[in-house]
Amino acid sequence: GVIPWLSTGYSVLSLQSKRARSRFSLLQLEHGEMYLIDYAVFLSASNNKKKEEGRLKCCSRSLVFEPIEARMPLIKFSFRSLEDRPIELIKEEKIRFECASIVEMNGPVPQPYS
């Protein structure tokens, strides 16, 4: 479901790491949304100093963070829910954005209906 966050800022720092089996599926995207590229990153909320390691999936309508820690949910940041300020490039390897709401995706990877 949608989890409201009041102007929570997020920072992403890129890194290199070995890949694990992905829990991300194209079926988790909106109709017509395209998957573009992904990066190995650390994600941290502005109200929390802890950095979560994972993959950031860049899509045409959203960013999806897939934590390395399997018990943690995937987090979807829709571009529609970004605050008025755009994504800021802080350093060459760090971006910052504020999101009014996020979607946490738990459970098994969705499968096509058969």
Side-chain angles (χ1 to χ4, degrees):
V2 175
I3 308 222
W5 292 59
L6 299 174
S7 297
T8 301
Y10 292 89
S11 295
V12 177
L13 177 65
S14 66
L15 67 110
Q16 297 296 322
S17 70
K18 53 189 170 190
R19 288 186 180 224
R21 186 170 182 268
S22 180
R23 296 179 287 144
F24 174 77
S25 169
L26 295 177
L27 297 171
Q28 295 164 322
L29 300 180
E30 296 176 18
H31 177 72
E33 184 174 10
M34 294 182 298
Y35 167 77
L36 303 172
I37 193 168
D38 76 343
Y39 297 97
V41 299
F42 281 111
L43 176 76
S44 61
S46 61
N47 59 357
N48 186 354
K49 297 297 180 195
K50 184 179 179 210
K51 292 181 181 177
E52 189 71 43
E53 184 178 359
R55 304 288 304 177
L56 185 67
K57 314 293 184 177
C58 299
C59 304
S60 59
R61 298 180 189 163
S62 64
L63 299 172
V64 179
F65 179 70
E66 178 184 9
I68 295 280
E69 184 66 44
R71 63 179 173 78
M72 301 296 293
L74 275 68
I75 303 172
K76 186 173 186 177
F77 305 95
S78 173
F79 291 151
R80 282 178 282 173
S81 67
L82 291 179
E83 296 294 316
D84 292 334
R85 293 191 310 230
I87 295 174
E88 300 175 60
L89 180 64
I90 296 175
K91 296 180 183 175
E92 189 172 313
E93 298 177 341
K94 188 174 183 179
I95 62 171
R96 184 182 188 291
F97 58 93
E98 292 186 14
C99 199
S101 65
I102 63 171
V103 175
E104 289 186 353
M105 297 179 281
N106 286 319
V109 175
Q111 302 291 321
Y113 181 75
S114 55

